[in-house]
Amino acid sequence: MLNRAVLVGRLTKDPEFRTTPSGVDVSTFTLAVNRNFKSKDGEQQADFINCVVFRKQAENVKNFLSKGRLAGVDGRMQSRSYENKEGQRVYVTEVVCDSVQFLEPKNNSQSNNQPKQQGQAQNNPFDNSDDEFSDLPF
């Protein structure tokens, strides 16, 4: 059997961080992962994948990732269910991350639309101003 998920996408919002009662750090976030095709009207389509990461990686995610940042995850798919406050059964499918890669430098958090500062390298490999993810609505 094989259960592996490898994704690259942008965070749809800042990660949520908490510590379990047993003291384990947990970060959850959602990645917007573009599909390889566009809709009939030319709109880029994306899947929104829930991710969860534990322990030291959870703390790193909290400290270094934020809304709109490009990240890569490697992990496994997991399904679970719980009962919400209204007594309804809720089913969740998420990627439990073994590893999270930060694919942009932290100082690249400025908007891609702002002009480049003088002296900044013109061929920055992390400049994503015209990549396929730059048109996501967040």
Side-chain angles (χ1 to χ4, degrees):
M1 307 286 170
L2 180 65
N3 181 356
R4 203 88 208 131
V6 179
L7 305 168
V8 174
R10 294 196 179 275
L11 273 71
T12 61
K13 61 181 180 179
D14 290 342
E16 295 179 13
F17 180 82
R18 65 183 179 88
T19 302
T20 66
S22 60
V24 177
D25 291 338
V26 181
S27 282
T28 57
F29 57 95
T30 302
L31 276 184
V33 180
N34 279 358
R35 295 181 181 171
N36 288 334
F37 58 90
K38 295 185 179 184
S39 65
K40 291 179 184 178
D41 59 358
E43 291 289 319
Q44 179 67 54
Q45 294 188 353
D47 292 304
F48 298 90
I49 312 294
N50 294 323
C51 300
V52 60
V53 62
F54 297 94
R55 298 177 182 78
K56 183 65 176 169
Q57 277 278 307
E59 189 175 325
N60 289 338
V61 164
K62 173 187 76 165
N63 292 332
F64 297 107
L65 285 181
S66 58
K67 179 180 176 179
R69 299 290 304 275
L70 187 65
V73 300
D74 178 23
R76 63 184 168 81
M77 297 296 297
Q78 175 178 291
S79 296
R80 61 184 174 88
S81 65
Y82 64 92
E83 196 171 297
N84 66 11
K85 294 176 183 177
E86 292 79 34
Q88 298 171 323
R89 178 69 46 196
V90 177
Y91 295 91
V92 178
T93 301
E94 59 200 356
V95 174
V96 178
C97 302
D98 296 326
S99 142
V100 178
Q101 301 294 316
F102 313 125
L103 300 178
E104 293 179 314
K106 184 153 176 79
N107 62 0
N108 195 29
S109 60
Q110 300 168 342
S111 170
N112 291 330
N113 298 330
Q114 292 182 358
K116 294 183 185 286
Q117 294 180 0
Q118 243 180 347
Q120 186 177 6
Q122 294 299 320
N123 58 351
N124 181 353
F126 295 104
D127 181 10
N128 59 0
S129 58
D130 45 12
D131 74 4
E132 63 182 297
F133 297 102
S134 62
D135 57 349
L136 288 175
F138 49 81

